[in-house]
Protein backbone atom coordinates (compact mmCIF):
# COMPACT_ATOMS: atom_id res chain seq x y z
CA UNK A 1 0.00 0.00 0.00
CA UNK A 2 2.87 2.37 0.84
CA UNK A 3 4.42 1.79 -2.58
CA UNK A 4 1.08 2.42 -4.27
CA UNK A 5 0.64 5.73 -2.43
CA UNK A 6 4.21 6.74 -3.17
CA UNK A 7 3.81 5.96 -6.86
CA UNK A 8 0.54 7.87 -6.89
CA UNK A 9 2.22 10.96 -5.43
CA UNK A 10 5.01 10.72 -7.99
CA UNK A 11 2.45 10.42 -10.78
CA UNK A 12 0.51 13.40 -9.44
CA UNK A 13 3.67 15.51 -9.27
CA UNK A 14 4.61 14.53 -12.81
CA UNK A 15 1.11 15.38 -14.05
CA UNK A 16 1.21 18.69 -12.20
CA UNK A 17 4.58 19.49 -13.75
CA UNK A 18 3.29 18.76 -17.25
CA UNK A 19 0.23 20.96 -16.69
CA UNK A 20 2.38 23.81 -15.37
CA UNK A 21 4.84 23.60 -18.23
CA UNK A 22 2.01 23.58 -20.77
CA UNK A 23 0.13 26.43 -19.09
CA UNK A 24 3.24 28.61 -18.83
CA UNK A 25 4.23 27.87 -22.41
CA UNK A 26 0.78 28.61 -23.82
CA UNK A 27 0.47 31.79 -21.75
CA UNK A 28 3.91 32.99 -22.86
CA UNK A 29 3.21 32.35 -26.55
CA UNK A 30 -0.27 33.87 -26.48
CA UNK A 31 0.85 36.93 -24.50
CA UNK A 32 3.62 37.73 -26.95
CA UNK A 33 1.41 36.82 -29.91
CA UNK A 34 -1.45 39.16 -28.99
CA UNK A 35 0.83 42.18 -28.52
CA UNK A 36 2.84 41.58 -31.70
CA UNK A 37 -0.17 40.75 -33.88
CA UNK A 38 -1.97 43.86 -32.69
CA UNK A 39 1.13 46.02 -33.14
CA UNK A 40 1.94 44.79 -36.65
CA UNK A 41 -1.65 45.10 -37.86
CA UNK A 42 -2.13 48.54 -36.30
CA UNK A 43 1.14 49.79 -37.81
CA UNK A 44 -0.10 48.79 -41.26
CA UNK A 45 -3.56 50.27 -40.74
CA UNK A 46 -2.23 53.56 -39.39
CA UNK A 47 0.45 53.60 -42.11
CA UNK A 48 -2.33 53.72 -44.70
CA UNK A 49 -3.82 56.93 -43.29
CA UNK A 50 -1.14 58.49 -41.09
CA UNK A 51 2.47 59.63 -40.99
CA UNK A 52 5.60 57.60 -40.11
CA UNK A 53 5.67 59.38 -36.75
CA UNK A 54 2.14 58.23 -36.00
CA UNK A 55 3.11 54.69 -36.99
CA UNK A 56 6.01 54.79 -34.53
CA UNK A 57 3.57 55.69 -31.76
CA UNK A 58 2.04 52.20 -32.03
CA UNK A 59 5.13 50.81 -30.33
CA UNK A 60 5.75 53.90 -28.20
CA UNK A 61 2.42 53.84 -26.35
CA UNK A 62 2.68 50.09 -25.79
CA UNK A 63 6.16 50.13 -24.31
CA UNK A 64 5.42 53.24 -22.28
CA UNK A 65 2.48 51.43 -20.73
CA UNK A 66 4.66 48.44 -19.88
CA UNK A 67 7.42 50.67 -18.51
CA UNK A 68 5.10 52.63 -16.23
CA UNK A 69 2.75 49.91 -15.03
CA UNK A 70 4.91 46.77 -14.77
CA UNK A 71 6.32 47.94 -11.39
CA UNK A 72 2.76 48.65 -10.26
CA UNK A 73 1.57 45.13 -11.08
CA UNK A 74 4.69 43.58 -9.53
CA UNK A 75 4.29 45.57 -6.33
CA UNK A 76 0.62 44.67 -6.00
CA UNK A 77 1.41 40.98 -6.52
CA UNK A 78 4.19 41.05 -3.91
CA UNK A 79 2.33 43.03 -1.27
CA UNK A 80 -0.97 41.16 -1.53
CA UNK A 81 0.61 37.73 -2.10
CA UNK A 82 -1.94 37.01 -4.84
CA UNK A 83 0.22 36.46 -7.89
CA UNK A 84 -2.19 34.28 -9.83
CA UNK A 85 -5.07 36.68 -9.15
CA UNK A 86 -3.02 39.56 -10.53
CA UNK A 87 -1.94 37.45 -13.51
CA UNK A 88 -5.45 36.31 -14.40
CA UNK A 89 -7.11 39.64 -13.57
CA UNK A 90 -4.82 41.71 -15.75
CA UNK A 91 -5.13 39.15 -18.56
CA UNK A 92 -8.91 39.46 -18.46
CA UNK A 93 -8.88 43.28 -18.34
CA UNK A 94 -6.37 43.51 -21.20
CA UNK A 95 -8.61 41.23 -23.28
CA UNK A 96 -11.60 43.50 -22.64
CA UNK A 97 -9.47 46.54 -23.62
CA UNK A 98 -8.91 45.04 -27.08
CA UNK A 99 -12.59 44.75 -27.99
CA UNK A 100 -13.22 48.48 -28.74
CA UNK A 101 -10.59 48.29 -31.51
CA UNK A 102 -13.14 46.40 -33.58
CA UNK A 103 -15.38 49.50 -33.60
CA UNK A 104 -12.93 52.41 -34.06
CA UNK A 105 -10.70 53.56 -36.89
CA UNK A 106 -8.36 56.43 -37.73
CA UNK A 107 -5.18 57.06 -35.75
CA UNK A 108 -5.74 58.38 -32.25
CA UNK A 109 -8.58 56.17 -31.07
CA UNK A 110 -6.72 52.92 -31.88
CA UNK A 111 -3.59 54.34 -30.22
CA UNK A 112 -5.58 55.18 -27.09
CA UNK A 113 -6.93 51.64 -26.77
CA UNK A 114 -3.49 50.24 -27.55
CA UNK A 115 -2.21 52.22 -24.57
CA UNK A 116 -5.07 51.00 -22.35
CA UNK A 117 -4.29 47.43 -23.39
CA UNK A 118 -0.66 47.98 -22.38
CA UNK A 119 -1.66 49.23 -18.93
CA UNK A 120 -3.30 45.89 -18.14
CA UNK A 121 -0.94 43.70 -20.19
CA UNK A 122 1.89 45.04 -18.01
CA UNK A 123 0.72 42.67 -15.30
CA UNK A 124 1.86 39.55 -17.16
CA UNK A 125 5.65 39.61 -17.30
CA UNK A 126 6.52 40.69 -13.71
CA UNK A 127 4.39 37.95 -12.18
CA UNK A 128 5.13 35.24 -14.73
CA UNK A 129 8.87 35.83 -14.64
CA UNK A 130 8.81 35.52 -10.85
CA UNK A 131 6.94 32.20 -11.14
CA UNK A 132 9.22 30.87 -13.88
CA UNK A 133 12.38 31.90 -12.05
CA UNK A 134 11.30 30.24 -8.81
CA UNK A 135 10.28 27.07 -10.62
CA UNK A 136 13.78 26.79 -12.06
CA UNK A 137 15.50 27.26 -8.72
CA UNK A 138 19.21 27.87 -8.43
CA UNK A 139 20.25 24.95 -10.65
CA UNK A 140 17.81 25.12 -13.57
CA UNK A 141 16.79 28.77 -13.71
CA UNK A 142 18.43 29.22 -17.11
CA UNK A 143 16.52 26.29 -18.62
CA UNK A 144 13.26 27.51 -17.09
CA UNK A 145 13.70 31.03 -18.43
CA UNK A 146 15.03 29.69 -21.72
CA UNK A 147 11.88 27.63 -22.21
CA UNK A 148 9.73 30.64 -21.34
CA UNK A 149 11.56 32.89 -23.81
CA UNK A 150 11.49 30.18 -26.45
CA UNK A 151 7.70 29.97 -26.14
CA UNK A 152 7.51 33.74 -26.39
CA UNK A 153 9.43 33.44 -29.66
CA UNK A 154 6.85 30.90 -30.84
CA UNK A 155 4.12 33.45 -30.22
CA UNK A 156 6.20 36.18 -31.85
CA UNK A 157 6.77 34.11 -34.98
CA UNK A 158 3.16 32.99 -35.22
CA UNK A 159 1.89 36.53 -34.77
CA UNK A 160 4.09 37.93 -37.52
CA UNK A 161 3.12 35.16 -39.91
CA UNK A 162 -0.60 35.39 -39.24
CA UNK A 163 -0.47 39.17 -39.39
CA UNK A 164 0.61 38.84 -43.00
CA UNK A 165 -2.10 36.29 -43.71
CA UNK A 166 -4.94 38.12 -41.98
CA UNK A 167 -4.08 41.59 -43.27
CA UNK A 168 -4.65 40.37 -46.79
CA UNK A 169 -7.81 38.39 -46.07
CA UNK A 170 -10.01 40.02 -43.43
CA UNK A 171 -11.33 43.42 -42.39
CA UNK A 172 -9.69 45.27 -39.47
CA UNK A 173 -12.55 44.55 -37.06
CA UNK A 174 -12.24 40.82 -37.71
CA UNK A 175 -8.50 40.88 -37.15
CA UNK A 176 -8.87 42.71 -33.84
CA UNK A 177 -11.46 40.20 -32.66
CA UNK A 178 -8.94 37.49 -33.53
CA UNK A 179 -6.40 39.32 -31.34
CA UNK A 180 -8.95 39.39 -28.52
CA UNK A 181 -9.38 35.63 -28.93
CA UNK A 182 -5.64 35.10 -28.60
CA UNK A 183 -5.66 37.34 -25.53
CA UNK A 184 -8.43 35.26 -23.99
CA UNK A 185 -6.10 32.25 -24.25
CA UNK A 186 -3.68 34.11 -21.93
CA UNK A 187 -6.46 34.40 -19.33
CA UNK A 188 -7.43 30.72 -19.58
CA UNK A 189 -3.80 29.55 -19.36
CA UNK A 190 -3.15 31.86 -16.39
CA UNK A 191 -5.92 30.14 -14.45
CA UNK A 192 -3.88 26.90 -14.54
CA UNK A 193 -0.59 28.47 -13.41
CA UNK A 194 0.27 27.90 -9.76
CA UNK A 195 2.79 29.85 -7.72
CA UNK A 196 5.60 27.46 -6.68
CA UNK A 197 6.23 29.39 -3.45
CA UNK A 198 3.20 31.55 -2.74
CA UNK A 199 3.80 34.24 -0.12
CA UNK A 200 1.82 33.99 3.08
CA UNK A 201 -1.60 35.56 2.83
CA UNK A 202 -1.55 39.22 3.75
CA UNK A 203 -4.25 41.78 4.42
CA UNK A 204 -2.44 44.73 2.91
CA UNK A 205 -4.33 47.99 2.96
CA UNK A 206 -4.67 50.26 -0.04
CA UNK A 207 -2.22 52.66 1.63
CA UNK A 208 0.40 49.93 2.01
CA UNK A 209 0.03 48.89 -1.62
CA UNK A 210 0.28 52.51 -2.75
CA UNK A 211 3.39 53.07 -0.63
CA UNK A 212 5.06 49.96 -2.03
CA UNK A 213 4.26 50.98 -5.59
CA UNK A 214 5.70 54.44 -4.99
CA UNK A 215 8.86 52.89 -3.51
CA UNK A 216 9.29 50.65 -6.56
CA UNK A 217 8.84 53.52 -9.01
CA UNK A 218 10.89 56.11 -7.12
CA UNK A 219 13.36 54.37 -4.78
CA UNK A 220 14.88 56.56 -2.10
CA UNK A 221 18.57 57.45 -2.39
CA UNK A 222 19.44 54.97 0.31
CA UNK A 223 17.64 52.16 -1.52
CA UNK A 224 19.53 52.42 -4.81
CA UNK A 225 22.61 50.45 -3.82
CA UNK A 226 21.39 47.40 -5.72
CA UNK A 227 21.78 49.36 -8.96
CA UNK A 228 25.53 49.56 -8.40
CA UNK A 229 26.07 45.93 -7.44
CA UNK A 230 27.09 43.26 -9.94
CA UNK A 231 27.01 45.63 -12.89
CA UNK A 232 23.22 45.96 -12.82
CA UNK A 233 23.35 49.60 -13.86
CA UNK A 234 25.44 48.70 -16.93
CA UNK A 235 23.02 45.90 -17.75
CA UNK A 236 20.11 48.35 -17.74
CA UNK A 237 22.00 50.66 -20.07
CA UNK A 238 22.74 47.75 -22.42
CA UNK A 239 19.08 46.69 -22.45
CA UNK A 240 18.05 50.30 -23.10
CA UNK A 241 20.35 50.63 -26.11
CA UNK A 242 19.41 47.19 -27.43
CA UNK A 243 15.70 47.99 -27.30
CA UNK A 244 16.18 51.42 -28.89
CA UNK A 245 17.76 49.79 -31.93
CA UNK A 246 15.74 46.59 -32.27
CA UNK A 247 12.34 48.03 -31.39
CA UNK A 248 12.97 51.28 -33.21
CA UNK A 249 13.52 49.39 -36.46
CA UNK A 250 10.68 46.96 -35.76
CA UNK A 251 8.16 49.74 -35.28
CA UNK A 252 8.48 50.92 -38.90
CA UNK A 253 9.52 47.70 -40.62
CA UNK A 254 6.02 46.45 -41.59
CA UNK A 255 5.14 49.71 -43.33
CA UNK A 256 8.58 49.90 -44.96
CA UNK A 257 8.26 46.39 -46.40
CA UNK A 258 4.80 47.12 -47.82
CA UNK A 259 5.27 50.67 -49.13
CA UNK A 260 8.97 50.94 -50.00
CA UNK A 261 9.99 47.37 -50.81
CA UNK A 262 6.60 46.56 -52.30
CA UNK A 263 6.07 43.03 -50.99
CA UNK A 264 2.62 41.62 -50.28
CA UNK A 265 1.18 41.33 -46.77
CA UNK A 266 1.76 37.57 -46.87
CA UNK A 267 5.45 37.94 -47.78
CA UNK A 268 5.81 40.65 -45.15
CA UNK A 269 4.56 38.23 -42.52
CA UNK A 270 7.07 35.59 -43.57
CA UNK A 271 9.97 38.05 -43.52
CA UNK A 272 9.02 39.37 -40.08
CA UNK A 273 8.71 35.81 -38.74
CA UNK A 274 12.30 34.84 -39.62
CA UNK A 275 13.84 36.54 -36.58
CA UNK A 276 11.59 34.97 -33.90
CA UNK A 277 11.80 31.61 -35.68
CA UNK A 278 15.56 31.62 -35.08
CA UNK A 279 15.01 32.65 -31.46
CA UNK A 280 12.80 29.64 -30.73
CA UNK A 281 15.66 27.17 -30.56
CA UNK A 282 18.46 29.48 -29.48
CA UNK A 283 16.57 30.85 -26.45
CA UNK A 284 16.23 27.37 -24.99
CA UNK A 285 19.80 26.45 -25.97
CA UNK A 286 21.33 29.50 -24.33
CA UNK A 287 19.26 28.87 -21.21
CA UNK A 288 20.90 25.46 -20.81
CA UNK A 289 24.33 26.92 -21.53
CA UNK A 290 23.75 29.62 -18.90
CA UNK A 291 23.09 26.99 -16.22
CA UNK A 292 26.37 25.26 -17.07
CA UNK A 293 28.68 28.22 -17.69
CA UNK A 294 27.07 31.00 -15.71
CA UNK A 295 25.07 33.93 -17.00
CA UNK A 296 27.72 36.63 -17.08
CA UNK A 297 30.30 34.61 -19.09
CA UNK A 298 27.54 33.78 -21.57
Amino acid sequence: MWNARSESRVTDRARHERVQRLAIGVAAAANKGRAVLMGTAMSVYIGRVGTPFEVSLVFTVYWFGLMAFSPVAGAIADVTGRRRAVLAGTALLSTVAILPLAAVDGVWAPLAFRGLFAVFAAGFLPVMLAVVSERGGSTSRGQSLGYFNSMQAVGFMGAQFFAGVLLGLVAPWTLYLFVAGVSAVVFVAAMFVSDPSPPSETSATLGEVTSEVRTRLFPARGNREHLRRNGLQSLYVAVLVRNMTVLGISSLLPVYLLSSVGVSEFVMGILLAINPAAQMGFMYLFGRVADGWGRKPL
Side-chain angles (χ1 to χ4, degrees), residues 22-36 38 62 83-96 98 117 120-125 127-128 148 151-152 155 178-193:
L22 177 62
I24 290 172
V26 170
N31 177 67
K32 178 64 72 172
R34 63 178 180 170
V36 173
M38 181 200 296
Y62 174 73
R83 287 178 177 170
R84 189 168 71 168
V86 172
L87 189 66
T90 54
L92 178 61
L93 291 172
S94 59
T95 300
V96 174
I98 297 171
F117 163 76
F120 297 122
F124 181 84
L125 272 181
V127 179
M128 188 61 85
F148 177 78
M151 292 307 297
Q152 286 201 110
F178 183 84
V179 175
V182 175
S183 186
V185 173
V186 180
F187 169 70
V188 174
M191 296 299 294
F192 289 91
V193 175

Side-chain angles (χ1 to χ4, degrees), residues 45 166-167 169-176:
Y45 292 144
L166 295 174
L167 280 167
L169 292 179
V170 301
W173 68 269
T174 305
L175 192 149
Y176 285 131

Side-chain angles (χ1 to χ4, degrees), residues 167-266:
L167 280 167
L169 292 179
V170 301
W173 68 269
T174 305
L175 192 149
Y176 285 131
L177 288 181
F178 183 84
V179 175
V182 175
S183 186
V185 173
V186 180
F187 169 70
V188 174
M191 296 299 294
F192 289 91
V193 175
S194 63
D195 192 344
S197 56
S200 58
E201 291 294 330
T202 61
S203 56
T205 65
L206 179 61
E208 290 173 333
V209 173
T210 302
S211 176
E212 182 68 15
V213 170
R214 186 166 54 248
T215 301
R216 298 289 183 91
L217 292 175
F218 308 105
R221 186 175 297 275
N223 295 329
R224 301 174 189 170
E225 180 60 31
H226 66 285
L227 294 173
R228 292 181 285 272
R229 289 199 303 264
N230 302 321
L232 185 59
Q233 200 167 35
S234 299
L235 177 62
Y236 283 162
V237 172
V239 172
L240 173 66
V241 175
R242 184 259 185 193
N243 283 343
M244 286 177 63
T245 55
V246 175
L247 297 178
I249 292 173
S250 299
S251 65
L252 296 175
L253 197 54
V255 177
Y256 171 75
L257 289 173
L258 293 176
S259 61
S260 297
V261 180
V263 301
S264 66
E265 288 89 350
F266 180 75

